């Protein structure tokens, strides 16, 4: 019989300086996780890493930095929506990675959702600007002529994202989102094993035409001398094994140039069942369900998966039986089959690694649920549950990560012991705690927080609403100390700042106002002939000010306000009682009366460009106001924030209320919505 003629798998391409380029070497053939058939040849031989870095820094970076934060956020929104429309193309490819539909959902829609979430958070939480003030101004001199302000500006290098094989889409998008929002270009290097899915996703993103040239480049294959060329303006983020993290962290150029390097490595995550649980309690069931889910989702190939399940000693056997019942019902098979609940590992190499890891853990633990049978072809492994009866003396179960459907149960006899066992992970991405007792939650939460990047509490109340142990959320930090890599990803705006330089500016208020593009306390206030409320966003300038006439506060005003609003607190109504209060000499005006009078003084009432008042920020009452005092307001345009998608924007006004033109009695920001152009009325 003739041998079948081997077909050459598709050669993946890298996206280099605006063109698709195939490697010229042999590289590596990666196979379908479920069938073992070749899927692609992955190779980056001959790609000029220096050219990629130059292109990113010179072209991509400058184009992204020309855009404002909100323009970049809108770009990300459009890319996210376009990907969502074509998600089925990604699902079709995802099967080859061993992922079931629900595994693919975590990767594909989870990744797109993260991109969209950053797009919307960016517009809500960052000013639409090029320079981002970070925190409040610091007054550094008595007379206010010398002040300080921290600012954030994008680094002018390239963010190099080296990603793991288990989430080829999410792993890329969760890092790209904060990187682009910050204004940095990226070079993505996916793990070879599943890089064909990342490559497909990159092609879809480029086809949207939304990305500025150079904002995204891709390496399918090895990185060559890329990391030897990094400078202090570049950032390297790594996700993968602790061993590779250690190796890359020690690259001479990374050390010598103090390059930001974050690692998110595998960790021995724990799930703890509280001492209040019984075999009949909802928390016991939630615990078992979560352990089973984390073993079988992505076939246990999740950096956040539960590797160690810590529980009261008396509950070990009931937990084993409950897990056995669930595992027996878990259909393992081809990820595209509808009945399949657990797919394959990413490759047969991973199967071997998991087998070796189980053997090593097994030297200090007994197998309680042995792996059942699996399809012969493909990288399948059945769930395996071990029990380590003496977890405080054992080592391997706290150190060796079986990156598959494997979990070790660890009994405890006291909450202190449970804490000690959890912390033996020496730094983890996440731990979950199932308890219906807030005291147990308090003891365990305070005991384990220092060694965990995230702690999730679960009980009967949040059973339906909880996002679960294994899901990193865009709003919350993902990353953990020590063994978990010491890095931090996601966490809302925290992750964006990682790609920006924080600089402390010190100087006069006018100097800092010029640099930041936002009015700083003490800077020049420009009184304009036209009331600033008559100016459209296009006409208004930072520093435009109205200084109002003065208004005297009378006792009748205070009593009228008290009776009108019902706020008859003694400090406003009773002279003697007010005087007994350590802060007042007698009856004082209500703080809200002062704020109301201030509005009455600064508002220009006619219909015009100001559309609405949507709140105040940082309101402080600084000096009491008594009957007879006279109030005046200085209102200054502090920050102007045009909205990209609307014909109006936000204006933040500095509002200072003065008593007798001398003392500041109230200080706050007034927030308004203002039309971009004068309206036709
Ligand atoms: P690796 O640490 O080997 O690889 C992770 C990434 O680093 C891949 O993109 C890989 O590329 C790249 N890489 C490896 N060596 C270098 C190098 N010298 N220079 C530049 N890039 C490099 O992890 P694996 O994917 O092989 O998985 C091994 C183990 O890591 C798993 O069994 C599991 O324990 C753990 N892991 C943890 C994950 C997590 O999320 N924390 C995710 C995945 C795995 P390439 O693929 O081309 O080698």
């Amino acid at each position: 019989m003739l041998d079948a003629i081997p077909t050459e798998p598709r050669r993946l391409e890298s996206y280099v300086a605006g063109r698709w380029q195939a490697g010229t070497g042999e590289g590596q053939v990666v196979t379908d996780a479920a069938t073992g058939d070749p899927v692609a040849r992955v190779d980056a031989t001959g790609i000029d890493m220096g050219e990629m870095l130059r292109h990113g820094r010179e072209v991509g970076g400058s184009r992204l930095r020309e855009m404002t934060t909100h323009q970049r956020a809108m770009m990300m929104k459009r890319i996210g929506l376009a990907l969502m429309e074509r998600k089925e193309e990604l699902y079709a490819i995802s099967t080859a990675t061993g992922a079931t539909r629900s595994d693919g959902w975590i990767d594909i829609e989870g990744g797109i959702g993260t991109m969209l979430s950053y797009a919307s958070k960016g517009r809500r939480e960052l000013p639409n600007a090029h320079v981002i003030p970070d925190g409040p101004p610091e007054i550094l001199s008595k007379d206010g002529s010398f002040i300080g302000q921290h600012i954030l500006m994008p680094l002018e290098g390239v963010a190099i994202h080296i990603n793991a094989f288990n989430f080829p889409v999410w792993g890329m998008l969760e890092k790209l989102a904060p990187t682009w929002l910050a204004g940095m270009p990226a070079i993505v290097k996916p793990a070879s094993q599943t890089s064909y899915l990342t490559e497909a996703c990159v092609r879809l993103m480029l086809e949207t035409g939304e990305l500025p040239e150079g904002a995204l480049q891709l390496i399918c294959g090895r990185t060559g001398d890329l990391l030897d060329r990094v400078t202090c303006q570049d950032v390297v983020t790594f996700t993968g094994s602790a061993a590779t993290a250690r190796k890359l962290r020690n690259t001479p150029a990374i050390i010598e140039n103090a390059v930001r390097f974050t690692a998110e490595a595998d960790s021995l995550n724990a799930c703890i069942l509280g001492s209040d649980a019984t075999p009949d309690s909802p928390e016991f069931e939630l615990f078992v369900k979560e352990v089973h889910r984390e073993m079988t989702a992505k076939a246990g190939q999740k950096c956040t998966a539960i590797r160690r399940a810590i529980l009261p000693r008396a509950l070990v056997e009931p937990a084993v039986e409950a897990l056995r019942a669930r595992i027996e019902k878990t259909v393992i098979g081809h990820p595209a089959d509808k009945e399949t609940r657990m797919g394959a590992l990413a490759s047969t190499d991973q199967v071997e690694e998991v087998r070796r890891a189980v053997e090593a853990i097994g030297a200090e633990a007994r197998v309680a649920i042995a792996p059942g049978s699996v399809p012969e072809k493909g990288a399948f492994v059945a769930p395996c549950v071990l029990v380590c009866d003496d977890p405080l003396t054992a080592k391997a179960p706290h150190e060796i990560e079986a990156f598959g459907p494997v979990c070790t149960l660890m009994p405890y006899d006291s909450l202190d012991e449970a804490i000690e066992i959890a912390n033996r992970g020496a730094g983890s991405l996440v731990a979950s705690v199932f308890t219906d007792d807030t005291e147990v939650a308090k003891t365990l939460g305070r005991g384990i927080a220092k060694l965990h990047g995230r702690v999730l509490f679960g009980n009967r109340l949040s059973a339906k609403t909880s996002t679960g142990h294994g899901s990193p959320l865009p709003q919350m930090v993902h990353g953990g100390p020590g063994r978990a890599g010491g890095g931090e990803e996601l966490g809302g705006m925290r992750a964006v700042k990682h790609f920006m330089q924080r600089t402390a500016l010190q100087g006069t208020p006018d100097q800092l106002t010029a640099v930041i593009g936002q009015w700083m306390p003490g800077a020049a206030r420009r009184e304009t002939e036209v009331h600033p409320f008559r100016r459209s966003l296009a006409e208004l300038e930072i520093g435009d000010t109205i200084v109002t006439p003065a208004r005297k506060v009378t006792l009748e005003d205070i009593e009228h306000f008290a009776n009108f609003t019902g706020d008859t607190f003694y400090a406003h109504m009773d002279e003697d009682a007010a005087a007994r209060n350590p802060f007042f000499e007698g009856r004082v005006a209500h703080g809200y009366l002062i704020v109301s009078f201030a509005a009455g003084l600064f508002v220009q009432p006619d219909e015009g460009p100001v559309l609405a008042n949507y709140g105040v920020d940082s309101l402080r009452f600084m000096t009491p106001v008594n009957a007879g005092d006279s109030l005046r307001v200085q209102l200054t345009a502090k920050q102007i924030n045009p909205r990209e998608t609307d014909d109006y924007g936000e204006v933040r006004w500095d509002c200072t209320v003065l008593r007798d033109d001398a003392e500041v009695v109230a200080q706050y920001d007034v927030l308004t919505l203002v039309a971009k152009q004068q309206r036709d009325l």
Side-chain angles (χ1 to χ4, degrees):
M1 204 174 90
L2 286 175
D3 283 346
I5 301 168
T7 49
E8 171 63 19
R10 188 170 82 81
R11 199 175 255 278
L12 295 189
E13 292 178 313
S14 297
Y15 190 67
V16 181
R19 62 178 188 277
W20 286 100
Q21 183 178 337
T24 54
E26 284 297 298
Q28 173 190 354
V29 172
V30 294
T31 52
D32 185 306
T35 63
D37 297 336
V39 177
R41 185 177 289 282
V42 189
D43 173 54
T45 311
I47 285 170
D48 184 344
M49 300 297 161
E51 183 191 10
M52 288 187 91
L53 284 168
R54 269 194 310 280
H55 188 70
R57 289 172 189 147
E58 288 167 17
V59 183
S62 52
R63 303 238 166 120
L64 283 167
R65 290 194 302 277
E66 277 164 20
M67 301 161 80
T68 63
T69 43
H70 289 203
Q71 287 165 345
R72 294 194 292 264
M74 284 309 298
M75 168 195 90
M76 287 158 52
K77 181 175 179 182
R78 290 189 294 269
I79 291 173
L81 294 175
L83 285 179
M84 202 58 104
E85 268 184 23
R86 298 182 69 180
K87 65 182 182 187
E88 289 306 327
E89 294 172 47
L90 298 174
Y91 274 111
I93 303 170
S94 170
T95 311
T97 70
T100 61
R101 178 86 192 181
S102 56
D103 294 340
W105 182 85
I106 304 171
D107 187 31
I108 297 164
E109 295 188 54
I112 299 171
T114 301
M115 176 73 82
L116 291 172
S117 164
Y118 267 93
S120 114
K121 275 184 98 59
R123 280 175 296 141
R124 270 186 282 121
E125 295 175 30
L126 294 176
N128 190 8
H130 292 96
V131 179
I132 315 286
D134 187 35
E138 297 287 342
I139 308 302
L140 302 175
S141 65
K142 272 199 177 142
D143 66 354
S145 63
F146 187 67
I147 65 169
Q149 172 71 54
H150 292 104
I151 58 160
L152 294 160
M153 290 192 68
L155 290 172
E156 299 205 2
V158 174
I160 298 169
H161 297 316
I162 300 177
N163 298 337
F165 66 80
N166 51 347
F167 289 110
V169 177
W170 178 84
M172 168 170 64
L173 298 183
E174 63 110 8
K175 289 181 181 176
L176 282 180
T179 305
W180 284 340
L181 190 53
M184 268 193 105
I187 295 177
V188 175
K189 186 268 179 274
S192 295
Q193 179 57 44
T194 53
S195 49
Y196 49 89
L197 180 52
T198 312
E199 192 223 37
C201 187
V202 167
R203 285 184 192 273
L204 294 187
M205 285 196 280
L206 292 169
E207 279 171 29
T208 64
E210 291 289 346
L211 277 168
E213 178 58 51
L216 175 61
Q217 297 180 83
L218 173 75
I219 300 172
C220 289
R222 310 301 297 179
T223 49
D225 62 358
L226 180 75
L227 296 185
D228 300 327
R229 296 166 170 271
V230 289
T231 74
C232 73
Q233 289 295 296
D234 301 315
V235 177
V236 179
T237 71
F238 170 81
T239 309
S241 63
T244 312
R246 206 173 308 119
K247 184 168 147 196
L248 298 189
R249 197 193 291 281
N250 287 313
T251 307
I254 290 181
I255 296 173
E256 280 157 27
N257 299 326
V259 176
R260 292 186 196 181
F261 179 91
T262 60
E264 196 263 271
D266 43 61
S267 73
L268 280 295
N269 312 296
C271 179
I272 311 177
L273 179 60
S275 47
D276 52 307
T278 64
D280 307 322
S281 62
E283 286 67 34
F284 176 84
E285 201 192 331
L286 290 168
F287 167 85
V288 169
K289 200 169 157 191
E290 199 73 340
V291 170
H292 174 259
R293 182 160 68 166
E294 290 298 316
M295 288 178 79
T296 53
K298 286 289 293 181
Q301 299 169 106
K302 289 204 309 183
C303 50
T304 51
I306 297 166
R307 308 292 174 202
R308 301 175 303 142
I310 303 167
L311 70 174
R313 196 172 289 278
L315 297 184
V316 170
E317 289 319 314
V320 168
E321 288 322 307
L323 279 170
R324 192 190 308 283
R326 284 181 180 269
I327 287 170
E328 275 170 4
K329 281 196 218 135
T330 308
V331 180
I332 303 170
H334 194 285
D337 290 346
K338 279 221 167 68
E339 293 71 37
T340 296
R341 289 291 161 268
M342 190 174 106
L345 298 192
S347 67
T348 43
D349 287 352
Q350 283 297 313
V351 176
E352 271 319 300
E353 283 218 16
V354 170
R355 284 210 181 111
R356 272 198 297 274
V358 170
E359 220 174 276
I361 297 169
E364 294 179 87
R366 60 187 162 92
V367 175
I369 304 176
S373 61
V374 289
E376 257 174 39
K377 213 173 161 203
F380 293 97
V381 172
C384 172
V385 177
L386 300 105
V387 177
C388 175
D389 290 305
D390 197 358
L392 285 173
T393 54
K395 278 203 157 75
H398 303 294
E399 289 172 1
I400 296 172
E401 186 197 35
F403 207 64
V406 181
C407 183
T408 307
L409 303 191
M410 302 184 172
Y412 69 80
D413 295 311
S414 68
L415 287 183
D416 284 347
E417 251 183 53
I419 292 167
E420 209 180 326
I421 297 167
N423 290 347
R424 289 276 166 104
S428 301
L429 295 171
V430 52
S432 48
V433 174
F434 286 90
T435 175
D436 199 38
D437 181 330
T438 48
E439 279 304 310
V440 173
K442 175 175 145 188
T443 306
L444 291 174
R446 291 184 180 183
I448 65 173
K450 66 174 187 240
L451 278 163
H452 293 84
R454 179 163 65 89
V455 176
L456 175 137
F457 298 96
N459 72 355
R460 59 198 77 183
L461 182 66
S462 66
K464 287 216 166 73
T465 52
S466 170
T467 49
H469 168 105
S471 305
L473 301 177
Q475 303 87 333
M476 309 303 287
V477 162
H478 175 53
R483 149 105 210 205
E488 221 188 58
E489 297 171 1
L490 300 176
M493 289 307 122
R494 300 171 66 90
V496 178
K497 294 177 184 177
H498 188 68
F499 300 96
M500 305 184 95
Q501 177 62 40
R502 180 181 293 106
T503 305
L505 297 185
Q506 294 168 226
T508 68
D510 284 328
Q511 288 168 330
L512 268 52
T513 294
V515 176
I516 301 166
Q518 173 180 317
W519 186 87
M520 289 283 124
R525 298 182 193 258
R526 227 180 0 267
E527 277 189 72
T528 52
E529 256 174 49
V530 182
H531 189 291
F533 274 28
R534 304 301 307 158
R535 296 192 148 187
S536 69
L537 219 57
E539 296 158 342
L540 195 67
E541 285 178 36
I542 296 295
D544 283 358
T545 298
I546 173 174
V547 179
T548 70
R551 169 176 187 151
K552 194 173 248 186
V553 179
T554 65
L555 202 55
E556 290 72 50
D557 288 333
I558 297 173
E559 286 185 346
H560 174 72
F561 190 80
N563 293 323
F564 179 50
T565 61
D567 178 355
T568 52
F569 186 59
Y570 71 87
H572 313 305
M573 304 305 285
D574 181 334
E575 192 67 23
D576 295 338
R580 283 193 293 275
N581 179 308
F583 301 110
F584 310 127
E585 283 165 6
R587 291 172 73 174
V588 293
H590 305 67
Y592 301 117
L593 173 60
I594 297 166
V595 170
S596 304
F597 276 169
L601 287 168
F602 69 65
V603 156
Q604 205 288 339
D606 300 337
E607 188 176 7
V610 174
L611 306 173
N613 162 11
Y614 74 97
V616 295
D617 267 357
S618 320
L619 172 59
R620 285 289 176 283
F621 298 117
M622 292 145 107
T623 320
V625 170
N626 304 102
D629 290 345
S630 113
L631 303 179
R632 192 190 296 278
V633 182
Q634 289 178 331
L635 188 82
T636 301
K638 182 175 183 176
Q639 191 182 68
I640 301 173
N641 238 341
R643 286 204 187 170
E644 289 302 319
T645 46
D646 297 298
D647 50 12
Y648 59 87
E650 286 118 33
V651 178
R652 181 179 285 267
W653 307 83
D654 175 85
C655 184
T656 306
V657 184
L658 296 165
R659 181 175 70 175
D660 299 332
D661 289 336
E663 277 165 300
V664 176
V665 299
Q667 176 86 60
Y668 49 105
D669 286 357
V670 173
L671 310 172
T672 58
L673 298 176
V674 178
K676 283 182 177 168
Q677 305 294 337
Q678 291 293 348
R679 298 156 67 213
D680 291 332
L681 298 170

